[in-house]
Amino acid sequence: PVDGEPRDAVADPEEQTSKHEAYVYEIEGIVCAVSRHLLSLDESILKKVKLDLLQQVVNHLKTLHSQANRLGSAGRLSTALFYDFWRDFSLKLVKTASLPLKLFGWDNVTRIIEGSREMAPPPRSYVVSGAGTPFVNGTYELDPKRIDEEGNARDGELQYLRRVPGGGAEKGAAAG
């Protein structure tokens, strides 16, 4: 409020959009600067940093990448870009002469692999056979109406449809 006047309940949509874009732009700038800085650090400096603090920085960068994605980053901070940074940083650590840094780098490689498994898209289809009832046997395909462009389930549940030979599709079981 200015001079004690109450604020309007609804702000100007253009002003909200520009503030939102400015916020996302600031997140992008911070993440890019920190990522570049970490990649440019010499081994002698990295050896002085506590590894748990270094891991916290990496975790926070991952969180900021995710937040920027959700807020509508213009593609500068995609999940793939974070994993590119994380891979490069882990490789830098693995190549050092310092055993603690090297082990920390390998630990991060393991985390990258685990994270990649979690982000793997769901199977496009399943083939069911020997279910005991011939009607249940068949191919169940992922319902394209229930997933977004990135392959994530809308409403939190995947839906598979059974393709009936010579006909349409029947609803199948939800997968969660």
Side-chain angles (χ1 to χ4, degrees), residues 38-39 43 46 83-98 101-110 112:
L38 284 175
L39 291 172
E43 181 178 342
L46 285 169
Y83 274 83
D84 287 345
F85 153 75
W86 201 7
R87 179 201 60 221
D88 292 344
F89 186 61
S90 298
L91 182 60
K92 175 185 183 80
L93 295 170
V94 167
K95 289 181 174 182
T96 64
S98 164
L101 287 176
K102 194 178 289 272
L103 292 173
F104 179 68
W106 282 114
D107 183 49
N108 273 275
V109 169
T110 301
I112 291 169

Side-chain angles (χ1 to χ4, degrees), residues 158-173:
L158 296 174
Q159 180 76 40
Y160 286 84
L161 303 174
R162 180 173 174 266
R163 294 286 168 205
V164 179
E170 294 180 10
K171 278 215 177 212

Side-chain angles (χ1 to χ4, degrees), residues 4-37:
E5 294 178 16
R7 214 183 225 180
D8 290 338
V10 178
D12 177 24
E14 287 183 23
E15 182 180 333
Q16 281 183 330
T17 301
S18 65
K19 284 182 180 179
H20 175 81
E21 289 171 354
Y23 179 69
V24 171
Y25 184 77
E26 290 298 320
I27 291 174
E28 290 174 340
I30 291 166
V31 169
C32 290
V34 172
S35 299
R36 278 193 308 269
H37 182 68

Side-chain angles (χ1 to χ4, degrees), residues 62-76:
K62 185 177 184 181
T63 300
L64 287 171
H65 269 268
S66 296
Q67 287 178 346
N69 256 345
R70 277 195 308 277
L71 293 172
S73 174
R76 288 180 50 194

